[in-house]
Coordinates of all heavy atoms in Angstrom, one line a residue:
A1 N 121.3 93.4 106.6 CA 121.0 94.9 106.5 C 120.3 95.2 105.2 O 119.4 96.0 105.2 CB 122.4 95.6 106.4
S2 N 120.5 94.5 104.1 CA 119.8 94.7 102.9 C 118.3 94.3 103.0 O 117.4 94.9 102.5 CB 120.5 93.9 101.7 OG 120.4 92.5 102.0
Q3 N 118.1 93.2 103.7 CA 116.7 92.7 104.0 C 115.9 93.8 104.8 O 114.8 94.1 104.5 CB 116.7 91.3 104.6 CG 117.1 90.2 103.7 CD 117.2 88.9 104.5 OE1 117.7 88.9 105.6 NE2 116.9 87.8 103.8
L4 N 116.6 94.3 105.8 CA 116.0 95.3 106.7 C 115.7 96.5 105.9 O 114.6 97.2 106.1 CB 116.9 95.6 107.9 CG 117.1 94.5 108.9 CD1 118.1 94.9 110.0 CD2 115.7 94.2 109.6
L5 N 116.5 96.9 105.0 CA 116.3 98.1 104.2 C 115.2 98.0 103.3 O 114.3 98.8 103.1 CB 117.6 98.5 103.5 CG 117.5 99.7 102.5 CD1 117.2 101.0 103.4 CD2 118.8 99.9 101.7
S6 N 115.1 96.8 102.7 CA 114.0 96.5 101.7 C 112.7 96.5 102.5 O 111.7 97.1 102.0 CB 114.2 95.1 101.1 OG 115.4 95.1 100.3
R7 N 112.6 95.9 103.6 CA 111.4 95.9 104.4 C 111.0 97.3 104.9 O 109.8 97.7 104.8 CB 111.5 95.0 105.7 CG 110.2 94.7 106.3 CD 110.4 93.9 107.6 NE 110.7 94.8 108.7 CZ 110.9 94.3 110.0 NH1 110.7 93.1 110.3 NH2 111.2 95.2 110.9
N8 N 112.0 98.1 105.2 CA 111.8 99.4 105.7 C 111.1 100.2 104.6 O 110.1 101.0 104.8 CB 113.1 100.1 106.1 CG 113.0 100.9 107.3 OD1 112.1 100.8 108.1 ND2 113.9 101.8 107.5
L9 N 111.7 100.2 103.4 CA 111.2 100.9 102.3 C 109.8 100.5 101.9 O 108.9 101.3 101.5 CB 112.1 100.8 101.1 CG 113.5 101.5 101.3 CD1 114.4 101.3 100.1 CD2 113.3 103.0 101.5
L10 N 109.6 99.2 101.9 CA 108.3 98.6 101.4 C 107.2 98.9 102.4 O 106.1 99.4 102.0 CB 108.4 97.1 101.2 CG 107.2 96.4 100.8 CD1 106.8 96.9 99.4 CD2 107.3 94.9 100.8
V11 N 107.4 98.7 103.7 CA 106.4 98.9 104.7 C 106.2 100.3 105.1 O 105.1 100.9 105.1 CB 106.7 98.0 105.9 CG1 105.6 98.2 107.0 CG2 106.7 96.5 105.6
Y12 N 107.3 100.9 105.5 CA 107.2 102.3 106.1 C 107.4 103.4 105.0 O 106.9 104.5 105.2 CB 108.2 102.5 107.2 CG 107.9 101.5 108.3 CD1 108.6 100.3 108.5 CD2 106.9 101.8 109.3 CE1 108.2 99.4 109.5 CE2 106.6 101.0 110.3 CZ 107.3 99.8 110.4 OH 106.9 98.9 111.4
G13 N 108.1 103.1 103.9 CA 108.3 104.1 102.8 C 107.0 104.1 102.0 O 106.3 105.2 101.9
L14 N 106.5 103.0 101.5 CA 105.3 103.0 100.7 C 104.1 103.3 101.6 O 103.2 104.0 101.2 CB 105.1 101.6 100.1 CG 103.9 101.4 99.2 CD1 104.0 102.4 98.0 CD2 103.9 100.0 98.6
G15 N 104.1 102.7 102.9 CA 103.0 103.0 103.8 C 102.9 104.5 104.1 O 101.9 105.1 104.3
G16 N 104.1 105.1 104.3 CA 104.2 106.6 104.6 C 103.6 107.4 103.5 O 103.3 108.6 103.7
I17 N 103.6 106.9 102.3 CA 103.0 107.7 101.2 C 101.5 107.4 101.0 O 100.7 108.3 100.9 CB 103.7 107.3 99.8 CG1 105.1 107.8 99.8 CG2 102.9 107.9 98.6 CD1 105.9 107.4 98.6
L18 N 101.1 106.2 101.2 CA 99.7 105.8 101.0 C 98.8 106.2 102.1 O 97.7 106.7 101.9 CB 99.6 104.3 100.8 CG 100.3 103.7 99.5 CD1 100.1 102.2 99.4 CD2 99.8 104.4 98.2
V19 N 99.2 106.0 103.4 CA 98.4 106.4 104.5 C 98.0 107.8 104.5 O 96.8 108.1 104.7 CB 99.1 105.9 105.8 CG1 98.3 106.5 107.0 CG2 99.2 104.4 105.9
P20 N 98.8 108.8 104.3 CA 98.4 110.2 104.3 C 97.4 110.5 103.2 O 96.5 111.3 103.4 CB 99.7 111.0 104.1 CG 100.7 110.0 104.6 CD 100.3 108.7 104.2
F21 N 97.5 109.9 102.1 CA 96.5 110.1 101.0 C 95.1 109.7 101.5 O 94.2 110.5 101.3 CB 96.9 109.3 99.7 CG 97.9 110.0 98.8 CD1 99.2 109.8 98.9 CD2 97.4 110.9 97.9 CE1 100.1 110.4 98.1 CE2 98.2 111.5 97.0 CZ 99.6 111.3 97.1
V22 N 95.0 108.6 102.1 CA 93.8 108.1 102.6 C 93.3 109.0 103.8 O 92.2 109.4 103.9 CB 93.9 106.6 103.1 CG1 92.5 106.2 103.7 CG2 94.2 105.7 101.9
G23 N 94.2 109.3 104.7 CA 93.9 110.1 105.9 C 93.5 111.5 105.6 O 92.4 112.0 106.1
I24 N 94.2 112.1 104.7 CA 93.9 113.5 104.4 C 92.5 113.6 103.6 O 91.7 114.5 103.9 CB 95.0 114.2 103.5 CG1 96.3 114.4 104.4 CG2 94.6 115.5 102.9 CD1 97.5 114.8 103.6
K25 N 92.3 112.6 102.8 CA 91.0 112.6 102.1 C 89.8 112.4 103.0 O 88.8 113.1 102.9 CB 91.0 111.5 101.0 CG 89.7 111.5 100.2 CD 89.5 112.8 99.4 CE 88.2 112.7 98.6 NZ 88.0 114.0 97.9
L26 N 90.0 111.5 104.0 CA 88.9 111.3 105.0 C 88.6 112.5 105.8 O 87.5 112.9 106.0 CB 89.3 110.1 105.9 CG 89.3 108.7 105.3 CD1 89.8 107.7 106.3 CD2 87.9 108.4 104.8
V27 N 89.7 113.3 106.2 CA 89.5 114.5 107.0 C 88.8 115.5 106.1 O 87.9 116.2 106.6 CB 90.9 115.0 107.5 CG1 90.7 116.4 108.2 CG2 91.5 114.0 108.4
D28 N 89.3 115.6 104.8 CA 88.6 116.5 103.9 C 87.1 116.3 103.7 O 86.3 117.2 103.7 CB 89.3 116.4 102.5 CG 88.6 117.3 101.5 OD1 88.7 118.5 101.5 OD2 88.0 116.7 100.5
L29 N 86.7 115.0 103.7 CA 85.3 114.7 103.6 C 84.5 115.1 104.8 O 83.4 115.6 104.7 CB 85.1 113.2 103.3 CG 85.7 112.7 102.0 CD1 85.6 111.1 102.0 CD2 84.9 113.3 100.8
L30 N 85.2 115.0 106.0 CA 84.5 115.4 107.2 C 84.4 116.9 107.4 O 83.4 117.4 107.9 CB 85.3 114.8 108.4 CG 85.3 113.3 108.6 CD1 86.2 112.8 109.7 CD2 83.8 112.8 108.9

């Protein structure tokens, strides 16, 4: 359970923060 939680936070937690920054900026440029 601890390994799954760590992977969840690293991949989907951190990814959930970084991906929108990139996506919103790209849409803003368009």
Side-chain angles (χ1 to χ4, degrees):
S2 60
Q3 290 174 321
L4 290 174
L5 179 61
S6 299
R7 193 185 81 174
N8 218 23
L9 293 175
L10 179 63
V11 177
Y12 297 97
L14 184 60
I17 293 176
L18 297 180
V19 170
F21 273 93
V22 175
I24 290 173
K25 181 60 180 179
L26 288 175
V27 175
D28 174 69
L29 293 175
L30 292 174

